[in-house]
Amino acid sequence: MARATATVETEPVVEPVTGEVPAPEAPAGMAHETDLVAASLRIFNDEWEGLTLQQKIARITGHVGTIPKRGYNAFHKYHYVTEGDLVGSVRQYLSAAGIAIIPDVVKVKLYRENTENPLTEVIVNYTVTDGKEEFSFRMPGHGADKGDKGVYKAITGSQKYALMKLFKIETGDDPESDTRVDERSAQSQGPRQAPRVSTGNRGNVTRGAHSSKASPVQLRKISSLSQMLGLTREEVVIQITAATGIEIVLPDDETKQSETIVAALKETVPEDATKIIEQLESLAAERADTANDGSDGIGYG
Amino acid sequence: MTFDVTDQQPFSASSINTFLRCGKQWEYAYVYEFKRPPSLRAVIGLSAHAAEETNYQQKIDSKNDLPLDDVLDVFSTAFDAQLPEAENDSEETPGQAKDSGIKTLSVYHNDVAPGIQPLWVEREGLMVVNDIPYGYSIDLVDDRERVRDYKYTRRRPAKDSRDYRLNMIGYAMAYRNETGSTESDVVLDYMVRTKEPYHWPVASAGPVPDHAIASFTGILETVSRAVQEAMFLPTGLQSHACGWCGYRDICPDYNA
């Protein structure tokens, strides 16, 4: 570290990067690069060699500040910290301190394969070493790309967040306040699993999802009305015949009687199913009137 | 007695849209199957569809459009056949409506149809989405894999209109399911029936995104659950659907 120590006396005092955040649209320039070098050299002194690796990281952490968000995602309309700016902000410190961060991709997994939006996940193991000590940590990364760049996007994302978290780098925003993520999550309405889609038989289904036969929703209505009225199977058959003229012969085997009624109802046309519903509703109304009359009679009697 | 109904109620774009407009309206249309006469506006749209269907069906092989007079003839015949059933419209007479339809169809046939080489015309089918049957009828898929639907309207749709959004997502899903291929675009060809009719295409500028399909699926599942539970809320009271609802005279919630 002699090089760093020797230079520190002659370099002008440069404030840490914090507080020097240029506007997002400002291009990265040579002056920024030079300032970083100067800033990085100032933090090292004779004590440096005596520090543990973790202490060195902590010292660098104290000197890396907020990174400007120069990147712009035109599609989703937001600014972001580029990997280049992030690496550029810590590279000089690491170089001067003789610290290497060695990536090793330990897992690659492809999600939503054969869809329009495949997603690659990587897990990268980072070994941080100063040649004497070392420690490791892992950081996942995700990259969406229809072509062959999914892995590289994922590694780039992983490296960005590895550096950000290792050096506690601020980006000026907080994931908790990222409304875009919230909006996108809301859009997805839960897990983004592709729906199971298969070809069905159009059968009785006509345009507008009407049906040439009694529909399931009509059958359910008839069932619930029959239950509400407490009708027996024989009584249901009587009501069906009264409404439509359709004769249903119930089998002696009682376990088959419901099945027989359902089979007959499924063969009715929707208009007849409506007549049955109206018949049962009319019966329900009659019973309600009778009940009301009865209670009135008792009440006023 | 009660009996199990294990079959799933089938849905379609118009069925879902009806439910989203008003649960009560859906109940009248699908549980009671009360039929309403088509409006005059609907008759124009249906007749124009019949006319262009005739043109596009033969164009699949011939690669040429029919003469305008032939197409207008189909329109006129279809219009006259449906007119006796149509509900009166306070905004235009049947004669005005027919003239407007002919003028608009002429613009479509001369300006839009020549640029479309159809692959599918009025393709009907049924797909099952997460166990829910969904029927569809796709107006058109062209040779550039653009899923298209044409609508006749009296006013240009608003810039941020979401009209027919579910229809188009469903068509794209159906196209993918049937072909294993992904649509290049979904296009709503609006024909605006003003004094000087014009074509107003609204395109998605690319395939339907995943989040739109997730949204569609979520809505379909929610509507299916609501129907299964017989939850027919009169939501039209708040969504202002009652104004043109054909069932409002018999709706106790509207008349309450």
Side-chain angles (χ1 to χ4, degrees), chain B residues 40 43 78-87 94-95:
Chain B
L40 202 48
V43 169
F79 186 92
D80 293 344
Q82 293 174 80
L83 187 60
E85 300 291 317
E87 210 164 43

Side-chain angles (χ1 to χ4, degrees), chain B residues 66-225:
Chain B
L66 289 173
L68 177 61
D69 283 349
D70 292 5
V71 175
L72 293 182
D73 192 39
V74 178
F75 173 86
S76 188
T77 305
F79 186 92
D80 293 344
Q82 293 174 80
L83 187 60
E85 300 291 317
E87 210 164 43
N88 283 334
D89 189 323
S90 57
E91 292 189 39
E92 57 189 344
T93 65
Q96 288 169 331
K98 188 173 181 180
D99 289 346
S100 168
I102 286 172
K103 207 169 172 184
T104 310
L105 179 58
S106 301
V107 172
Y108 180 89
H109 192 72
N110 289 331
D111 297 350
V112 183
I116 296 173
Q117 175 55 44
L119 284 181
W120 289 3
V121 178
E122 296 290 333
R123 176 84 158 208
E124 293 195 339
L126 185 134
M127 61 180 169
V128 182
V129 182
N130 286 354
D131 301 325
I132 303 167
Y134 184 89
Y136 55 85
S137 177
I138 303 173
D139 281 358
L140 199 66
V141 176
D142 68 20
D143 61 352
R144 290 164 61 187
E145 291 196 296
R146 291 178 298 193
V147 177
R148 312 184 76 124
D149 201 72
Y150 34 101
K151 299 286 180 196
Y152 279 56
T153 174
R154 295 195 67 176
R155 289 170 193 86
R156 195 171 81 188
K159 199 175 175 185
D160 58 351
S161 169
R162 293 289 185 274
D163 289 350
Y164 308 111
R165 175 178 167 274
L166 291 173
N167 305 45
M168 301 311 288
I169 297 170
Y171 298 154
M173 289 171 70
Y175 179 73
R176 293 181 192 188
N177 179 53
E178 282 204 40
T179 64
S181 179
T182 301
E183 74 287 349
S184 65
D185 206 347
V186 290
V187 186
L188 259 167
D189 289 302
Y190 282 106
M191 290 306 298
V192 187
R193 287 196 303 118
T194 46
K195 198 171 176 186
E196 294 301 325
Y198 60 94
H199 175 222
W200 184 261
V202 177
S204 70
V208 171
D210 286 351
H211 67 77
I213 289 174
S215 165
F216 172 94
T217 307
I219 291 170
L220 177 62
E221 289 176 328
T222 306
V223 171
S224 177
R225 276 199 298 275

Side-chain angles (χ1 to χ4, degrees), chain A residues 51-59 133-135:
Chain A
L51 299 179
T52 65
L53 178 58
Q54 279 83 355
Q55 286 172 324
K56 289 175 182 174
I57 295 292
R59 287 282 282 273
E133 297 174 70
E134 67 175 48
F135 65 87

